[in-house]
Amino acid sequence: MDLAPVIEGFGVVLEPANLLHCLLGVVIGMLVGVLPGLGPAATIAILLPLTFNVEPVTAIIMLAGIFYGAQYGGTITSVLLRLPGEASSVVTVFDGHALARQGRAGTALGIAAIGSFVGGTASIVALSVLAPLIAGFALDFGPPEYTALALLGILLVATVSNGGRVKALIAACAGLLLATVGRDAFTGTERFTFDLLPLSDGLDFVPIAMGLFGLGEILHNLEQRQRGATTAARVANAWPSRGDLRQSAGAIGRGSVLGFALGVLPGGGATLSSLAAYAVEKRRSKSPERFGHGAVEGVAAPETANNAAATSSFIPLLTLGIPANATMAMIFGALLVQGVTPGPQLVDEDPELFWGVVNSMYLGNVLLLIMSVPLVGLFVKILRVRPTVLAPITVLITLLGVYTVRNSVFDIALVIVFGVLGYLMKKYGFEPGPLVLAFVLGSLLETSLRRSLLLFGGDPAGFFTRPISGTLLVLLAVVALFPLVQRLVRARSR
Amino acid sequence: MTSKSPARRRVLPPVLAAVLSLPLAACGGNLSSGGAEFPSGPVTMLVGQAPGGSTDLIGRALADGAANDLGVAMPVVNTPGANGALAANELAGAQPDGQHVLVLNASLTSITPLAVAPEEAVDINDFEVITGVSQDDYVLVANTASGLRSVPDLTRAGRDLKFATTGVGTGSQLAQELLFEQAGIAGTAVPFDGGSPAMTAVLGDQVDVAAIQLGEAIGQIEAGRLTPIATFAAQRSRYLPDTPTAVEQGYDVRVSQFRAIVAPKGTPPERVERLRKAFQATFAAERYRKFNEDNLLTPHEVDGAQVAQEWTSSLERYRAMTQQYGIDLGGPK
């Protein structure tokens, strides 16, 4: 590998204009992450006109900063207010918010920041070395492979919940059912829309997650306080201890690898990777019962993975010219406006742009870590605000955040509906996690499966004619059947 | 068109958008509250697609220029949903005072009605059309490695070809269905969620061909990874001068994406005219012309009456053709 352009890329990063825009990007990104609902894609759309007057590399450095900066910020609301702003920080809620309730919000935020930094940085190094090799591999993932991945993901959903297995499965089934709402993507038939036009594209992830987790939580807490139970968190340390770090080191390492690998896949990589990382940690743990009640690994793993995935999702864009998600599509558009066409020829034709953007991410991650440290203390202070004040403000932020996603009053009504549902679920011991994750994976599963069957002319055996989907499905069968076989063998030997 | 949920005037503009657009809006907004003066404040531009798509980018480029000419801010508000029908309903319910406009896709009024229930169909004649905007061509592409280079190649393939579409009831689906029917090629439509996934499926060899917008495909065509087989406009695109149209090759397939700016029915004619002037000033600007070049768009800046006539006749033509060839846009083949 020729190192000269890489080193020149660092030169590009150190130009004052680029330094400034990198800082600007990550600050905006962090704020966007903190505001639930408003995602990086919409922010970039609003800010796009500001980038027309600067150099292409400067513009993309800033836009990239917004994207990975938002991954840092998204954690903050997940931990403190139980409001996941992005699909990729849903799993962080389980242990992150539990830690906050125990007065260890600082620990959770600190671990998340460190994990995010390590995951992001490791991912940049891997991107620099492996990008061209991996690019070819990403194209091998078609509908059949996604079908197998989504199935694997839904199997993992069963392991992330903390309530009873049966209740988790019921919630997951409800999630799968909700995923079918909307105009059928293959026939145009309306399903469960009750003639409401806003439902024709199906339900959106944001109102569901924010209703179930955010509003549901608030309603439930209000009821608890009526009965005199206290939920106010004591704020102790504002930084993870050495023991916490030791405990999460493995999770951070594994999360980096998983996040990088899954982030390369077009569509949904960050969500899948955070879910997979959490499930892996829970599986490996000697004391899985701690998960959901404030296990630091449960924060470290998904937060590391989603940042690693955010970074590696640049690979398909910069090496194949394929945007992997909505935010990447925006950056793709910004490049086109600047007269740069992302594609296989970009590294050779415009090495300054390629390596300038890639290397700027190192700087951005350092800036985010530096910003996170003092801010952790500040954010934790939020928890000292009396619940009677904090609850209405949180509700307001939630409703406002949801409204900004699609400028839709209908979505506000949806949040309220799901808020009530979330409250009822909590009251009767159902976890919202499996429902939300099954909802996200359900639409992926349905569309991929039906697309695959169209490709195979209706023959399900086609899945096993493709190496990747075949391997994944065999693996899935082994994982699913292993406990059964184990039980049978034990029964025989008795 | 029945509007089931009466769209209310926005009383709660997205806070962040407002804050961020302050520096942009500082181009001399004379906010007088006189009822007779037009425009009497910001003109809202609705976009029925998510931020970042081509419709959104076109809307933003136009709003940018028209705001300068009108002397008021023109915030772009995205209300994605139902292929743009949500935003169309919202506009239909807005005050017909010229303070609300919408970027409308022709496919919503001339193709989507063939795939959805009659009460959901959007009719171009329910709006005051301010001006036509531009034409966005579809191109049929195959993976270069597949060796498929022309329509006869497809006919000779001798197997059921899988073609990726950008969704049910889109121009991408209609163009390919019509071509395959007329050329007698056996094919199966595989709907994807937009142009980028459809293109990825061709690059990854999961499908044989796809019809996608020129702007999305051009990078991969230039990189030599996709072969353009045909374009679906009436004339060859000046951005792909060597690729023949389907019409040239003997098939009557003319499907392009057109866009227009519309206002609610009943907007006073002098205000429609004032808005049209503002957009015409934008059309003439060097910056906007470069935007069209960058995004491979062909200007089609005709007046409102012609837009309504063209779009209505497209709908009639497509309806007749789908019936003639027995094509059902909704529903598996």
Side-chain angles (χ1 to χ4, degrees), chain A residues 181-183 193 197-204 406, chain B residues 80-84 86:
Chain A
V181 171
R183 194 175 283 167
T193 56
L197 200 57
L199 281 180
S200 71
D201 282 354
L203 291 160
D204 193 36
R406 293 201 301 180
Chain B
N83 289 334
L86 263 185

Side-chain angles (χ1 to χ4, degrees), chain A residues 38 45 52 139 142 183 185-187 190 195 197 200-201 320 322-323 330 337 341 344 403 406-407 409 451 454-455, chain B residues 4 10 12 14 16 51-52 77-78 81-82 89 120 162 168 190-192 196 200 206 219-220 225 287 294 330-332:
Chain A
L38 187 79
F52 294 161
L139 275 181
R183 194 175 283 167
F186 295 79
T187 63
E190 302 279 333
D195 281 349
L197 200 57
S200 71
D201 282 354
L320 295 172
I322 296 172
M330 287 299 317
V337 169
T341 310
Y403 177 81
R406 293 201 301 180
N407 299 306
V409 179
R451 238 167 243 153
L454 282 172
L455 294 175
Chain B
K4 294 182 190 69
R10 309 189 166 289
L12 186 74
L16 191 80
V77 176
N78 300 84
N89 275 4
E120 278 180 40
K162 307 286 184 280
V168 165
V190 185
F192 282 81
S196 172
T200 309
Q206 285 118 31
Q220 303 291 346
R225 303 171 54 136
R287 184 166 161 184
D294 287 343

